[in-house]
Structure formats: structure tokens, C-alpha cells
Amino acid sequence: MKRVAVYCGANPGKNPIYTQAAINVADWLAQHHLDLVYGGGGVGLMNVLAERAIKNGTYTIGIMPQFLVDKEIAAPHLDEFYVTDDMDERKAKMLSLADACLALPGGPGTLEEISEAFSWARVGQNPNPCAFYNVNGYYDKLADFFDHMITEGFLTTEDRNKLLFSDSLEEIYNFMTR
């Protein structure tokens, strides 16, 4: 594993624990000599993550659709920056550059992106492991819902085991590297 696609909010959230989580992920990437692949934003948790990654000397790759570049929310000083035509192309590019997928707390866009990555993994279109960094129990209800999918026959236990919810970055690292 060399590169991790990190999905996170364009907002910082209300609790400072989420900002600290973004800092922790950036430090974790540096500790394990992993490159950052992310949405390229210079706002919210994306900005916290990227700025700390840059400070740590982590190789940073941003991918952003043109309409967001036009809103001037792109992060400066990234090692690589790709401009796409739309969000679908952005997501595909992120997956093509990454070896693993990690979601920090975020909003509907974060949830949609990691859900799509996991969905594509289930059908063989994404070989990358997918994990949720479950800071402060943020994703507890979602983890329960995935378990409910098994109970109701919409998800196999085998596929559910390909998705991790954890508040431990070391557990996430071990999951992603095995």
C-alpha cells in the first residue's frame, strides 16, 4: 500500500475532535510513508488534512472538478493536482490513484464517495480496502445499518467483512495491509 484516498468534509464540523482526527490521519500517513489522494479542497477538514500532510512532507495529490476549481476552493501547494470534468470523473481518478480508501467524518458527499468505493469493490471494480475512521462514534449508526443489511439479506457477511469501521488508525492500517 502506497497511496490512500481520504474522503472528508469540506466543512470542519462543530466538534474540534474532527479537526484533530484530520490531523491524526495526516500524521498517520506520514508515519507509514503513505501518499495522500484526496478531493483537492482548501476548505474544511480537507484543508486541515492537506495542510498537515504538506507540513509532514507527505506527497499530496488533489483531484477536483472544474466547477469547484472555478469557486476558488482548491488547495495550493499540492504535489499533483488534477482537474476533472465532473464529480464522477473525480471519483474514478481518486480510485485509480489509490491503494486504499478511508472516510473521515463528513457530510453526504463523503458518505457517497466511500459508499461508491465500497460498492465498486463488491462488484470487482475497486480492489482497494475501504474503511471508516469512526471518530467519536460518528459512524456507529451506519455500521449498524450495514449489519442490518446482512440481517435483511441485502449484503453478505463476506462482503461486510471487506468494510471496517474503527476509531483506531492502527487497526485501519492493519486491515488495509492484510
Side-chain angles (χ1 to χ4, degrees), residues 1 15-16 26 42 67 83 105 109 121-122 124 130 139-140 142 147 149 168:
M1 182 173 67
N15 189 330
F67 78 92
V83 178
R122 290 186 60 223
C130 297
Y139 287 116
D140 284 351
L142 184 61
D147 294 339
M149 288 179 195
S168 164

Side-chain angles (χ1 to χ4, degrees), residues 26-171:
D27 292 348
W28 172 78
L29 291 168
Q31 174 189 358
H32 293 288
H33 309 287
L34 299 168
D35 297 346
L36 170 63
V37 177
Y38 85 115
V43 294
L45 291 185
M46 286 194 289
N47 186 59
V48 172
L49 175 68
E51 288 297 317
R52 182 65 170 230
I54 291 166
K55 180 180 176 185
N56 288 341
T58 297
Y59 196 82
T60 54
I61 304 167
I63 300 101
M64 184 176 280
Q66 184 63 56
F67 78 92
L68 290 177
V69 172
D70 293 345
K71 291 183 179 188
E72 299 181 354
I73 63 168
H77 316 300
L78 303 177
D79 294 295
E80 291 182 43
F81 188 79
Y82 297 92
V83 178
T84 62
D85 290 332
D86 55 38
M87 292 295 281
D88 287 334
E89 188 180 335
R90 173 203 213 176
K91 292 182 292 185
K93 183 71 171 174
M94 287 179 71
L95 284 177
S96 75
L97 293 173
D99 304 309
C101 301
L102 177 64
L104 277 157
T110 301
L111 180 59
E112 187 266 336
E113 289 178 316
I114 189 70
S115 294
E116 182 173 285
F118 176 61
S119 180
W120 287 10
R122 290 186 60 223
V123 296
Q125 295 300 301
N126 171 24
N128 304 335
C130 297
F132 287 84
Y133 187 24
N134 193 20
V135 177
N136 200 34
Y138 186 80
Y139 287 116
D140 284 351
K141 291 179 182 178
L142 184 61
D144 290 344
F145 184 63
F146 273 94
D147 294 339
H148 183 67
M149 288 179 195
I150 295 169
T151 302
E152 295 299 319
F154 292 104
L155 180 66
T156 66
T157 301
E158 179 184 18
D159 281 344
R160 173 63 178 87
N161 289 336
K162 296 176 185 174
L163 183 65
L164 179 70
F165 291 83
S166 178
D167 63 356
S168 164
L169 288 170
E170 285 316 300
E171 182 180 14

